[in-house]
Amino acid sequence: MNKHRFVEFAILILTLAVSLTISAQERYDPAAQITAQRQGMASLAVMDGVWRGPAWTILPSGQKHSITQTERIGPLLDGSIKVIEGRGYEPDGRVGFNAFGIVSYDPATHAYNLHSHAQGRVGDFVLKPTADGYVWEIPAGPMILRYTAVIKDGAWREVGDRVLPGREPVRFFEMSLKRVGDSNWPAAGTVPPK
């Protein structure tokens, strides 16, 4: 082996040894990861339960449309995520709106994510907990749809505003829910091993 090949081989072996040492020191610990996720989700525990109340939205026609909104929310995966189902009931009792969401926390980035399914659309959005609720936004071209929630004393008020640069926000959604009870959803009804 010539001197040049020997140096290349030595550098390769050294690089491999360093990589293996780093990998051994940074072994993935699922229990620690889930614990960190669960701790991150603790600030949103106030959302858990069953909620109901009036809500309204402004339709594309400009008409104000009122519904009865319900939410059922609970932890899953040992409390490391939060699962949400929202239903909007028309005055005749039929479901006019149905949405499903999963909130998760990434301990590495200290960021919360809302993965949402609603009205045939799917999206991932940054959710930012606040002292008494949260804020999340949907980018829509130059406009942002901003949802701001305050949850305290068994009441949950959430508003949606259209925000355009240089203009005052325009309110297009509001719901005022009351907590009506606990929920064992989604953890209830698991399939037993036998």
Side-chain angles (χ1 to χ4, degrees):
M1 179 182 289
N2 69 31
K3 185 176 179 181
H4 180 68
R5 294 290 252 175
F6 179 76
V7 171
E8 286 178 352
F9 181 72
I11 290 173
L12 177 66
I13 294 299
L14 182 61
T15 303
L16 184 60
V18 169
S19 295
L20 290 174
T21 302
I22 290 171
S23 294
Q25 292 173 354
E26 296 179 6
R27 284 210 169 96
Y28 180 74
D29 181 356
Q33 183 74 3
I34 291 170
T35 297
Q37 290 169 338
R38 187 173 45 247
Q39 289 169 346
M41 295 303 292
S43 65
L44 299 175
V46 69
M47 296 172 67
D48 293 347
V50 178
W51 302 79
R52 181 184 306 118
W56 59 263
T57 190
I58 302 297
L59 300 174
S61 66
Q63 177 187 3
K64 186 175 184 179
H65 182 71
S66 296
I67 59 173
T68 298
Q69 182 68 26
T70 65
E71 303 284 341
R72 62 178 175 161
I73 302 170
L76 197 61
L77 301 180
D78 198 22
S80 64
I81 64 171
K82 188 164 300 302
V83 180
I84 304 167
E85 184 197 26
R87 288 181 182 227
Y89 291 93
E90 300 294 338
D92 64 6
R94 68 185 167 81
V95 176
F97 174 80
N98 197 201
F100 178 79
I102 300 169
V103 178
S104 60
Y105 173 73
D106 183 346
T109 62
H110 304 287
Y112 294 81
N113 181 69
L114 169 61
H115 182 74
S116 172
H117 295 260
Q119 298 179 308
R121 296 183 185 262
V122 178
D124 285 291
F125 309 101
V126 174
L127 184 137
K128 296 178 184 174
T130 62
D132 55 4
Y134 58 83
V135 175
W136 67 284
E137 297 177 338
I138 300 174
M143 177 174 54
I144 294 172
L145 304 179
R146 179 178 298 140
Y147 294 88
T148 305
V150 173
I151 306 170
K152 62 183 188 180
D153 302 325
W156 175 354
R157 181 173 183 265
E158 187 165 344
V159 297
D161 294 309
R162 288 186 190 93
V163 181
L164 276 165
R167 296 191 185 170
E168 289 295 313
V170 176
R171 178 94 6 113
F172 69 91
F173 169 79
E174 184 173 330
M175 70 179 190
S176 298
L177 310 182
K178 296 289 182 194
R179 191 173 190 282
V180 295
D182 293 333
S183 175
N184 59 4
W185 183 84
T190 58
V191 180
K194 294 182 184 186

